[in-house]
Amino acid sequence: MRELPETMRVAAIDAFGGPDALSIHSLPVPIPAADEVLIATNTAGVGQWDADMREGWSSTGRRPRFPLVLGTDGSDTIAAVGARIRRFAVGDPVYAASFPNPFERGGHRRWGASSGFYAEYVAVSAEGVAHLPKGLDLEHAGAMIPGLTALQGIDDALELQRGEAVVIHGASGGVGTFAVQFAKLRGASVFASASGADGVALALRLGADMAVDGKDGDVEKAARSFAAGWLRRSSHLRGWPGSEDHPRPRASRRPGGVPGTVSSRPRRGSDAACV
């Protein structure tokens, strides 16, 4: 293990609350357990789930030990490795994610504080760490987790094909922005709902065929219009609004399929791809 500082700066909370609950703390640098690596954080991901945690939600159901260091994903280089780690070495560029990290380590008396990614160093299980792909810099690697979530939805769960159509809700969010692009790369038509006029503009700029404000717009009316135009060109979709088998603005992906949702977090799934 290379020589490390004893303390680090973190953005943490001392009690649940709004954005003003976050403040800069000085805490001990975590010591990685045998199955963990210590990452010197370059980029930390920021998602709606961070706000949920800041307000009191826990991905594990456990209550935290304050100060609570938020942040569930990020990227940089390995600063130290645990005794059982063979897959990584100090200096390896990596990206990582762990939803339970702020809460599981927060209850460990050895560290006294949680180990989230809003910190100069974060200790995380090696199971949630991967080497940085060639051609990807550390800054963009910090956004890998929402991208992988969207890719799992578009390819693994939905197996989206050219000529099909997909409804993507939260299209201006972290996962949604990736989902729109992946769907278009697969040759699909995309109906998107997004937040506000700027969110609608972003979804259209990313390639959505039609986008509507999910908060103030008439989503069902827009979906009916999109479906009518799309169905005139294709027969791959059933269950659009107004049909006998599915009266609401969601649809199954192909005849015989079922509606599905891929969410970016375990609850409050506004960043989701729905088909």
Side-chain angles (χ1 to χ4, degrees):
M1 181 185 298
R2 73 183 187 185
E3 186 176 350
L4 297 169
E6 294 184 358
T7 61
M8 62 178 179
R9 293 182 304 163
V10 305
I13 61 173
D14 294 308
F16 295 127
D20 58 353
L22 279 166
S23 62
I24 301 299
H25 292 58
S26 178
L27 295 176
V29 172
I31 299 172
D35 59 348
E36 293 181 328
V37 299
L38 183 71
I39 299 173
T41 311
N42 174 280
T43 302
V46 178
Q48 178 62 42
W49 48 88
D50 294 309
D52 292 342
M53 292 181 181
R54 191 193 66 230
E55 293 171 357
W57 172 69
S58 167
S59 62
T60 65
R62 298 185 180 94
R63 300 294 293 178
R65 174 180 293 181
F66 293 106
L68 172 61
V69 184
L70 299 174
T72 61
D73 57 292
S75 63
D76 204 340
T77 54
I78 300 291
V81 298
R84 293 202 298 266
I85 301 301
R86 300 292 181 268
R87 190 162 58 94
F88 299 102
V90 172
D92 286 351
V94 296
Y95 66 98
S98 175
F99 260 88
N101 224 58
F103 293 89
E104 287 189 343
R105 292 184 63 91
H108 201 299
R109 64 180 182 273
R110 182 178 179 186
W111 291 275
S114 65
S115 189
F117 285 78
Y118 289 8
E120 292 184 285
Y121 293 90
V122 57
V124 62
S125 170
E127 292 183 353
V129 182
H131 289 98
L132 203 68
K134 291 183 179 179
L136 187 68
D137 60 37
L138 289 169
E139 182 177 358
H140 288 88
M144 285 285 281
I145 302 308
L148 290 173
T149 302
L151 193 62
Q152 288 173 333
I154 295 298
D155 284 355
D156 298 344
L158 309 184
E159 299 177 2
L160 197 64
Q161 304 293 319
R162 178 172 297 276
E164 295 180 334
V166 63
V167 178
I168 300 178
H169 296 301
S172 57
V175 174
T177 52
F178 283 101
V180 170
Q181 296 175 82
F182 287 140
K184 295 305 297 180
L185 286 171
R186 304 308 183 259
S189 296
V190 174
F191 173 83
S193 68
S195 298
D198 56 343
V200 169
L202 174 60
L204 291 171
R205 190 163 66 248
L206 293 174
D209 298 275
M210 180 181 287
V212 62
D213 188 338
K215 294 182 178 179
D216 296 326
D218 190 333
V219 177
E220 184 166 349
K221 181 180 179 180
R224 288 178 183 273
S225 175
F226 175 78
W230 191 86
L231 286 172
R232 284 195 294 267
R233 303 188 301 273
S234 175
S235 60
H236 288 295
L237 193 69
R238 68 168 173 85
W240 279 94
S243 67
E244 293 181 358
D245 60 342
H246 210 297
R248 301 301 299 170
R250 291 189 178 184
S252 57
R253 190 173 47 79
R254 56 167 65 92
V258 294
T261 299
V262 178
S263 176
S264 62
R265 57 185 182 278
R267 69 161 196 165
R268 299 184 189 178
S270 62
D271 293 333
C274 302
V275 299

